[in-house]
Amino acid sequence: MSESKRSSRPTDARITRSSRSAESRDSGSGHDEKACKKQPDSPLAQDLRLMNVNASKGKPLAQGHGGSSANKSGGGLASVARLMKMGRCKNVVVVAGAGISTASGIPDFRTPGTGLYANLEAYNIPYPEAIFNVDYFSNDPQPFFSLAKVLYPGSHRPNYVHYFIRMLHHKGLLLRVYTQNIDSLEKLCGIPDDKLVEAHGSFATASCHLCYTPYPAEDAKRLIMNGSVPTCTFCTATVKPDVVFFGEDLPQKYFLHTQDFPKADLLLIMGTSLQIEPFASLVNTVRATVPRLLLNRHAVGPFQRNPLRRADRMELGDLEDTVRQFAEMLGWNDDIVELMKSQERERLDTPETLNSEDKDQVVEWNQFSHQCIPTLVGGRSAKRQSGSEESDSETDSKCSPSSCPAK
């Protein structure tokens, strides 16, 4: 019964989602480390090293990283921006976690106090990750279905970070974006399907969790929203959205990484704790001379090492603010703002895409302090809020409402 779903996937390439930390794999095997050291610097890596030296002259460096590419003044960010403006980065791969969506009002997973895992007491589960565990779901699907009512796409809008990624595509630079997110905001902002790998699945389709027989996604959503349990018409087991649970196979599209990461000439890592395998280890599969730029609230994964790999750069802080700064360095900010405006105008001109609240509102767009601020006439206004102090965040991004309307 499961062969129809897995027949096109090589039997030796089956990979399941795991919560095991990638810490032991950050530096790779000893053989890989020696091989990396033997590789000569590529022209791109040489340019990046020289740019970082020039950018950091006379400027304070972040503590704990030996001054290598982590300087507080944004030298690492500026050096990568200059490489991109020089046309040296034409195959950009983006690795994204839930942190790119917190500015849309969607909570991350591990931020103490505000993260999803910190607020699951109402679901009466033995441990937080159980809500995404396929074995636990088999015994009791109700906790996940209760949470699914909140997680189903449609209540949130893409934010500036999503549109930055779309601008990479618009500029012809995006090779692929690999996302851990199941909120579909990458699709909603206009990133084409062929440029997107939803490594942990999505709510767009549904199937039996036991025999994998497809089930109409809208019917599954309607039943779940009404408090009912959708069941398979073939084996009567429980149907769920095709979100990848712990213990389940990753989608076949995930294996595009074997083609994409060797081609990459720039890796952007945004809003992730790099704790979920095998996704976390993807960042270690680019060539050693390829620049890896981490945009996050905290250093994670291989960026916790001291010293960093010679081509590694990171910029720590609020993700949306950092990405906006990056876009301004590239000269893209106005284009992104206009793209956000046009996308919202298009949405408002298409009545079938609006919910009942949207239909009663007129949205007037204003630009203030380089942000799109929607004024909802007759409704509430979206206000930027500063998040509380976080640590060990799944997304390492300050949780604030989107610069586009978020319901």
Side-chain angles (χ1 to χ4, degrees):
M1 289 181 288
S2 63
E3 289 301 316
S4 61
K5 185 173 181 179
R6 297 179 182 171
S7 59
S8 59
R9 182 183 299 170
T11 56
D12 61 347
R14 182 186 176 205
I15 298 181
T16 59
R17 182 180 176 185
S18 169
S19 60
R20 181 171 59 85
S21 172
E23 183 176 350
S24 62
R25 302 168 69 175
D26 285 340
S27 60
S29 66
H31 174 76
D32 292 339
E33 281 293 305
K34 292 178 181 178
C36 289
K37 291 179 181 179
K38 292 180 181 179
Q39 296 183 30
D41 281 358
S42 66
L44 184 64
Q46 292 172 7
D47 287 344
L48 185 62
R49 188 176 65 251
L50 290 173
M51 286 178 176
N52 188 65
V53 170
N54 292 334
S56 61
K57 283 183 177 179
K59 297 176 182 178
L61 302 178
Q63 296 179 355
H65 297 281
S68 176
S69 69
N71 82 62
K72 296 178 180 179
S73 64
L77 195 67
S79 64
V80 174
R82 284 195 290 273
L83 283 180
M84 294 176 67
K85 292 171 75 172
M86 290 168 57
R88 304 300 295 272
C89 303
K90 298 180 180 179
N91 291 298
V92 181
V93 171
V94 176
V95 168
I100 73 169
S101 295
T102 55
S104 294
I106 300 175
D108 62 18
F109 287 84
R110 289 183 168 83
T111 298
T114 61
L116 182 64
Y117 287 159
N119 293 279
L120 293 177
E121 296 88 352
Y123 300 104
N124 193 29
I125 53 179
Y127 57 94
E129 290 83 358
I131 207 160
F132 291 114
N133 183 285
V134 68
D135 293 327
Y136 188 87
F137 177 86
S138 298
N139 295 323
D140 184 7
Q142 285 298 346
F144 172 74
F145 286 155
S146 297
L147 180 63
K149 294 180 182 180
V150 179
L151 296 180
Y152 258 109
S155 299
H156 302 277
R157 304 294 302 157
N159 62 67
Y160 191 96
V161 181
H162 297 100
Y163 282 99
F164 175 85
I165 300 172
R166 181 179 170 183
M167 187 57 62
L168 283 170
H169 165 65
H170 181 73
K171 299 289 185 180
L173 304 177
L174 182 65
L175 178 58
R176 206 94 61 190
V177 52
Y178 287 75
T179 180
Q180 295 173 280
N181 299 335
I182 58 177
D183 53 37
S184 298
L185 293 184
E186 294 90 356
K187 284 184 179 178
L188 196 58
C189 82
I191 297 173
D193 283 345
D194 65 331
K195 294 292 183 179
L196 178 63
V197 174
E198 294 173 307
H200 293 165
S202 74
F203 286 91
T205 57
S207 61
C208 174
H209 88 282
L210 191 61
C211 73
Y212 307 109
T213 299
Y215 191 92
E218 286 302 315
D219 290 349
K221 179 179 180 180
R222 176 176 48 80
L223 289 169
I224 292 171
M225 289 297 188
N226 291 333
S228 301
V229 176
T231 56
C232 178
T233 56
F234 186 81
C235 72
T236 71
T238 305
V239 166
K240 74 172 183 65
D242 288 331
V243 174
V244 180
F245 280 20
F246 294 116
E248 288 192 307
D249 291 354
L250 298 187
Q252 184 179 355
K253 202 173 182 183
Y254 171 82
F255 294 92
L256 285 172
H257 76 85
T258 60
Q259 306 170 28
D260 292 341
F261 281 71
K263 294 179 184 176
D265 51 29
L266 174 63
L267 181 63
L268 292 182
I269 306 164
M270 300 192 292
T272 175
S273 66
L274 294 180
Q275 291 192 27
I276 303 301
E277 289 288 10
F279 189 91
S281 291
L282 287 178
V283 301
N284 297 318
T285 61
V286 294
R287 289 168 290 123
T289 55
V290 170
R292 300 188 298 185
L293 175 61
L294 174 71
L295 307 180
N296 227 21
R297 177 155 292 280
H298 302 289
V300 294
F303 293 86
Q304 294 175 305
R305 295 187 305 180
N306 186 11
L308 297 178
R309 198 166 76 175
R310 62 178 178 268
D312 285 351
R313 304 290 180 270
M314 64 179 169
E315 195 73 22
L316 306 182
D318 177 79
L319 182 58
E320 193 176 23
D321 289 344
T322 301
V323 171
R324 195 180 304 276
Q325 180 186 0
F326 196 20
E328 289 172 348
M329 291 177 178
L330 293 167
W332 295 359
N333 182 64
D334 291 345
D335 291 340
I336 294 174
V337 168
E338 184 55 40
L339 181 60
M340 295 174 72
K341 289 181 180 180
S342 63
Q343 188 88 349
E344 190 62 21
R345 284 194 296 265
E346 181 179 339
R347 184 179 75 96
L348 294 174
D349 288 340
T350 310
E352 59 268 23
T353 66
L354 305 180
N355 58 35
S356 58
E357 290 186 6
D358 288 328
K359 291 178 181 178
D360 296 331
Q361 297 173 343
V362 177
V363 179
E364 177 185 343
W365 286 92
N366 297 298
Q367 185 175 354
F368 173 73
S369 187
H370 303 290
Q371 297 183 40
C372 287
I373 302 179
T375 303
L376 305 181
V377 180
R380 62 185 181 277
S381 297
K383 298 179 180 179
R384 185 176 177 85
Q385 300 173 350
S386 60
S388 58
E389 186 68 23
E390 304 106 323
S391 61
D392 190 27
S393 169
E394 167 76 22
T395 65
D396 298 319
S397 174
K398 189 177 295 182
C399 184
S400 61
S402 173
S403 53
C404 283
K407 300 291 184 283

